[in-house]
Amino acid sequence: MITIKNEAQIEKMRKAGALLHSVLEQLRGAVRPGISTKELDEMAETLIRQAGAIPSFKGYAGFPYSICASVDDQVVHGFANNEPLREGQLLSIDCGCILDGWQSDSALSVLVGNGSKEAKKLIKVTEECFWIGANMARKGNRIGDIGAAVQKHAEDHGYGVIRDLTGHGIGREMHEDPAVPNYGRPGRGVRLEPGMTIAIEPMIAMGTWKIITEADGWTTRTQDRSLASHYEHTVLVTDGEPEILSFPGARIPEALR
Ligand code: MG
Ligand code: MG
């Protein structure tokens, strides 16, 4: 069931989104060679709980951590561990929180120290895919318009768009209807209405879109072991400009409209 949020509910989602943005930016600032993803996970949990919120990932279907930490060819749902991160690795951090009963979900990818030109470009194009997709999250458009726009931009760069995992509606629950695939056909799928809140989250690989799940039952990685990047925000469909709830004040870059 797709839920339309009222103004009071949206205001709560704004607050959850603002907190999550601040947490993720602090994690981004802490990423450097030598730090472990376990340390980043503990930092996320502390920051979220200090703000009176709950880390939504921890315990979700048995997931053991407050962040998903996915390195290099890992796409999403990676486990935090004690291994020090190394210069040049590509780290995707996904995090979610619940504040006053309302959810936010957001992810970013960063290089540990300095990385390759190719990895930098993958991260940049994945972020562009998000903005291009978010630009389609407008009243009267359809879910397929978002996916088609994301897919075209990624494939124009020769990248693979992960199919097995999608974005999603979000609100009181982390995963609500509708599914928000990063591929699709324009004009297809659910029609977007003001008050809908969706997580748009391109997962883009340098090579194949095919993924496998590792032995822990959670971590996904690319089948061809190519690098993968992830970028996500919680987005509100409005009468006008889409509002990026997990990135207060952000606007879709002019060049990507
Ligand atoms: Mg997420
Ligand atoms: Mg999500």
Side-chain angles (χ1 to χ4, degrees), residues 15-236:
K15 290 197 169 116
L19 169 61
L20 185 57
H21 185 253
S22 142
V23 169
L24 273 165
E25 286 307 315
Q26 290 179 76
L27 295 181
R28 184 205 291 277
V31 172
R32 56 181 159 72
I35 197 169
S36 71
T37 49
K38 196 74 182 296
E39 288 172 89
L40 296 171
D41 177 66
E42 282 159 12
M43 190 176 153
E45 179 166 6
T46 302
L47 290 167
I48 290 169
R49 292 201 193 277
Q50 274 172 356
I54 299 164
S56 52
F57 292 9
K58 197 163 186 166
Y60 183 90
F63 189 81
Y65 301 103
S66 298
I67 61 169
C68 298
S70 310
V71 178
D72 291 339
D73 60 351
Q74 295 177 344
V75 182
V76 288
H77 304 162
F79 280 13
N81 61 43
N82 289 315
E83 222 176 288
L85 288 167
R86 297 189 306 275
E87 182 93 23
Q89 286 183 313
L90 190 166
L91 172 67
S92 300
I93 307 173
D94 194 351
C95 192
C97 73
I98 310 167
L99 182 61
D100 202 8
W102 291 85
Q103 302 256 357
S104 200
D105 186 6
S106 179
L108 54 80
S109 293
V110 286
L111 287 173
V112 181
N114 287 309
S116 69
K117 213 169 63 227
E118 291 75 20
K120 266 182 208 146
K121 186 184 162 199
L122 177 66
I123 291 173
K124 178 172 171 274
V125 171
T126 304
E127 292 183 5
E128 289 169 357
C129 283
F130 166 80
W131 292 110
I132 287 168
N135 186 47
M136 302 308 285
R138 293 173 186 274
K139 181 173 85 168
N141 281 357
R142 291 178 183 268
I143 285 290
D145 295 316
I146 298 173
V150 169
Q151 181 178 14
K152 179 174 190 309
H153 191 62
E155 292 181 352
D156 281 352
H157 286 88
Y159 295 151
V161 173
I162 308 307
R163 313 289 174 98
D164 303 39
L165 301 155
T166 69
H168 47 91
I170 178 167
R172 278 195 189 280
E173 302 297 329
M174 178 157 57
H175 295 126
E176 298 185 353
D177 290 335
V180 184
N182 294 302
Y183 56 92
R185 288 204 272 163
R188 294 299 184 94
V190 169
R191 196 180 286 280
L192 299 171
E193 288 176 50
M196 281 176 63
T197 45
I198 53 176
I200 300 175
E201 50 177 314
M203 290 158 260
I204 308 295
M206 221 175 253
T208 182
W209 57 266
K210 292 185 181 142
I211 59 171
I212 60 157
T213 304
E214 291 184 346
D216 59 28
W218 279 98
T219 311
T220 59
R221 69 164 174 83
T222 52
Q223 205 176 74
D224 62 2
R225 309 224 78 151
S226 64
L227 285 183
S229 175
H230 184 204
Y231 191 69
E232 173 181 27
H233 282 297
T234 298
V235 176
L236 169 69

